Amino acid sequence: MNERLQELNKLLNEAAAAYHGTGQEIMSDHEYDRLYEELVALERETGIILEDSPTKRVGAKPAGRLEKTTHEQPALSLDKTKDVAKLADWLGEQEGVLSWKMDGLTVVLTYEGGRLVKAATRGDGMIGEIITGNAKYFHGIPKMIPFSGKLILRGEAVISYQEFERINHSLPEGEEPYKNPRNLASGTVRLLQWIPDRKVDFHAFTLVLMEGGAVRMPDRFEDQMQLLADFGFGGVEYQPVTSQSIEDAVKAFEQRIPDLEFPTDGLVLTLNDTAYGRSLGTTGKYPRDSIAFKWRDDEFETILRDVEWSPSATGLINPVAVYDPVEVEGTTISRASVHNLSIMEGLRLGYGDTITVYKANKIIPQVAENLTGTGNIKIPEACPACGKPTEIRVSLKSGRETKTLYCTNPECPVKHLGMFSRFVCRDAMNIVGLSDETLKKLIDHGFLHRLADIYHLEEHSSEIAALDGFGELSVKNLLDAIEASRDVEPWRFLYAMNIPNVGRDASKKIIRYCGGTISGFVEKLRYGEDLTRADTIGEVISQSVYDWKQDHARQEDFADLIDRMRFKESADTGSEMLTGKTVVITGSLVTFKNREAFIQFVEQNGGKVSGSVSKKTDYLVNNDALSNSTKNRKAKELEIPILTEEEFRNLVLGN
């Protein structure tokens, strides 16, 4: 038993050090929770708690080269449960507030005299790393607040699912993609040199201290969150609950998980009476005023049939487990990424093995355990896309070796696929009809080698029409879409060039700095002008553009493409109708395609979108004006106009 205690301590401490110290993940949440619960049970059974037991530790010592700081008040982790009944028992007769438990990196902010003077990671709860320089780029952190004293709060820095996909898609060739948004957020927040194009959102979840100012710290959690929203901080969505209503509230939160823009790993229940909550003190590791609820990961047995090897645009080849279909959380799943060779070998996957699967955070299919472990899956020596040799690369992360498989062929068609996919996407050239599947066919048949070849496809129209899934009409529609794409805004064209580290926001800033035209951009490239002179364009982006300029083949393609475009004035300016206005949206969308489209519409017309209703909110957009939602109630209390999408659009456009 003592050997198992020591082994569990070692495994869990290594995982915690990796996650809290460097943002790397060397085991899944599911595996960590399972080992942690085993350790707790073993400690109870034996009465032995080792000195370095993770059950008595908040987090892990921060690592790296960032300057350290000691938190004025310990940033303790929360006790947790997967049992809704335990939440009701914990709450008792008190009123509570239920909110999302965001899945990113906890950040502590300190303001003095209305200015942000320090931002730090949570670290081990006592000592964190200073990230003040990076925090100024986070969305949801105001530079100034209307409070003259000292204010300390905590929140979560997160990256949305959409931003996660965009960043992974734009990584330079050969760079390993991030496994999940949490890892990406953690790594981004702790960058020694910030990448302005990355969008990190801050969501305040706890007001820690207010002293010395004219405003008194509210005694109710709801009021504290509203005060932070009034000050301009991004917040987490919350709902007041009692022990009688909490089960229904948890179900309501759970039903919304598939539509969330940000990752979450559960909920947090906090006592609404914060003075009473503080009087309860702590257990040494956990505060007694809050408790976390983690979704119970229901596991299902199935049979592993195969491991497919999925090449990516970066050259990384990921193993994907293929198993007999099984229904989990209301949907049928039959595939799950295994991420890398180290995880696959750890699971000892083999054909016909009995495995258990689940959905991490009720969204992402994962393999939990292998119950038979034959380990007879062979690692391919040739890339499944191009047939060229593969190589195993070993990297050292948090003291552990991680093995990954890569294609060595620089001309692998899948690598080209990523470049073409970025070029034709909606935010770039927006060529409808060129899906990844279609692009792959055109690449495989030799019609596409470089980006400019897209505008030569008409020369191969009869050959394309003869391919499976095509015909004369579909080819005509495709060629029409390609022709329409030539009318393009300069920033979209620049984004389409797939320059490493140059995403949508950076493309807009560069073009704005270059006078709003591609010719202005070309002129600055010709004379080697330093792009870091532009607002918020740092050395990383400037260097990426410089390196791209040195690529002769890319420059030939770029010049050819410029000659084929009809550049139009950017629609990025919009009107000034919403200048200085703050808009909140809630409920389902009808006229806008998605929330991103709504946010883009607001920003193009000079406004900004907030996640919570406050005194600073000018409009709440909700197609159900009679809804009794928290945001509707707050808007009515503050006499803020509640508009439908159509009413809001007409207001902005003057219809």
Side-chain angles (χ1 to χ4, degrees), residues 17 84 138 187 215 271 307 373 390 423 428 440 455 458 489 522 642:
V84 178
F138 300 174
V215 181
L271 294 174
V307 169
T390 61
F423 184 84
K440 189 174 185 307
Y455 296 91
E458 186 175 4
E489 298 165 62
V522 171
I642 302 175

Side-chain angles (χ1 to χ4, degrees), residues 21 23 92 180 192 307 315 373 393 399 426 433 443 470 534 556 596 634:
N180 53 53
L192 295 176
V307 169
R393 299 180 186 176
R426 184 181 61 187
I443 292 170
F470 286 91
E556 279 192 350
E596 183 191 4
K634 192 66 181 179

Side-chain angles (χ1 to χ4, degrees), residues 121 130 197 207 216 257 271 292 303 379 471 493 498 505 540 618:
T121 65
I130 296 176
D197 187 47
L207 178 54
R216 178 178 171 272
I257 290 175
L271 294 174
I303 303 299
I379 299 172
F493 179 76
N498 209 2
D505 290 345
V540 172
D618 294 285

Side-chain angles (χ1 to χ4, degrees), residues 411-462:
E411 298 301 319
C412 179
V414 175
K415 294 179 182 180
H416 285 291
L417 178 62
M419 177 180 68
F420 282 105
S421 182
R422 163 78 166 263
F423 184 84
V424 305
C425 76
R426 184 181 61 187
D427 288 327
M429 303 304 291
N430 192 24
I431 303 179
V432 179
L434 279 181
S435 64
D436 281 359
E437 182 179 353
T438 299
L439 285 169
K440 189 174 185 307
K441 284 183 180 179
L442 297 176
I443 292 170
D444 289 346
H445 284 81
F447 300 133
L448 295 178
H449 298 280
R450 59 193 189 110
L451 295 176
D453 289 341
I454 288 176
Y455 296 91
H456 292 278
L457 286 178
E458 186 175 4
E459 301 168 12
H460 308 284
S461 57
S462 59

Side-chain angles (χ1 to χ4, degrees), residues 582-628:
T582 299
V583 183
V584 175
I585 186 168
T586 187
S588 58
L589 294 164
V590 177
T591 61
F592 289 95
K593 186 174 182 180
N594 49 40
R595 287 181 182 267
E596 183 191 4
F598 177 83
I599 292 171
Q600 185 178 17
F601 177 77
V602 172
E603 291 178 347
Q604 284 178 355
N605 289 281
K608 68 175 184 177
V609 176
S610 174
S612 57
V613 176
S614 71
K615 294 176 183 177
K616 295 184 178 181
T617 303
D618 294 285
Y619 305 106
L620 172 64
V621 177
N622 186 353
N623 291 310
D624 183 5
L626 300 178
S627 166
N628 196 34

Side-chain angles (χ1 to χ4, degrees), residues 20-21 61-72 105-110 116-124 126-138 141 186-194:
H20 293 287
K61 295 292 182 185
R65 293 174 287 166
L66 293 169
E67 184 182 348
K68 308 298 188 294
T69 184
T70 300
H71 298 304
E72 291 193 29
L105 186 72
T106 298
V107 173
V108 183
L109 304 179
T110 302
L116 176 65
V117 296
K118 184 169 68 173
T121 65
R122 192 185 93 173
D124 66 356
M126 301 298 293
I127 299 174
E129 295 172 314
I130 296 176
I131 56 164
T132 314
N134 289 347
K136 67 182 180 181
Y137 294 105
F138 300 174
I141 295 183
S186 180
T188 299
V189 166
R190 301 174 66 257
L191 284 171
L192 295 176
Q193 186 175 18
W194 184 252

Side-chain angles (χ1 to χ4, degrees), residues 87 105 179 303 397:
L87 291 180
L105 186 72
K179 287 175 60 178
I303 303 299
K397 295 182 178 180

Side-chain angles (χ1 to χ4, degrees), residues 251-432:
K251 288 180 181 177
F253 272 99
E254 184 176 344
Q255 289 171 354
R256 295 180 51 208
I257 290 175
D259 299 322
L260 285 181
E261 298 174 4
F262 295 98
T264 174
D265 59 350
L267 302 170
V268 175
L269 177 61
T270 304
L271 294 174
N272 211 353
D273 186 340
T274 57
Y276 173 70
R278 285 194 300 271
S279 73
L280 298 177
T282 69
T283 65
K285 182 179 179 181
Y286 306 122
R288 289 192 171 98
D289 65 345
S290 301
I291 186 172
F293 172 78
K294 298 198 73 173
W295 312 114
R296 186 180 297 278
D297 295 321
D298 295 324
E299 297 181 19
F300 298 84
E301 284 191 14
T302 185
I303 303 299
L304 181 73
R305 297 301 178 187
D306 196 7
V307 169
E308 292 182 355
W309 299 90
S310 177
S312 69
T314 65
L316 178 69
I317 303 175
N318 278 321
V320 178
V322 181
Y323 43 83
D324 288 345
V326 59
E327 186 170 329
V328 181
E329 306 292 350
T331 60
T332 300
I333 59 175
S334 59
R335 300 164 60 86
S337 173
V338 191
H339 301 299
N340 57 53
L341 298 184
S342 296
I343 293 176
M344 190 191 81
E345 291 174 352
L347 288 167
R348 300 193 68 245
L349 295 181
Y351 302 109
D353 280 349
T354 300
I355 60 174
T356 60
V357 297
Y358 69 103
K359 276 188 178 179
N361 298 335
K362 296 189 175 292
I363 295 178
I364 304 171
Q366 299 280 298
V367 177
E369 290 184 84
N370 188 350
L371 304 180
T372 47
T374 58
N376 58 26
I377 301 291
K378 301 298 183 183
I379 299 172
E381 296 180 355
C383 172
C386 66
K388 299 298 183 181
T390 61
E391 69 177 14
I392 297 174
R393 299 180 186 176
V394 181
S395 60
L396 193 64
K397 295 182 178 180
S398 306
R400 279 194 173 190
E401 288 188 348
T402 299
K403 295 195 291 186
T404 48
L405 188 66
Y406 279 86
C407 172
T408 59
N409 179 17
E411 298 301 319
C412 179
V414 175
K415 294 179 182 180
H416 285 291
L417 178 62
M419 177 180 68
F420 282 105
S421 182
R422 163 78 166 263
F423 184 84
V424 305
C425 76
R426 184 181 61 187
D427 288 327
M429 303 304 291
N430 192 24
I431 303 179
V432 179

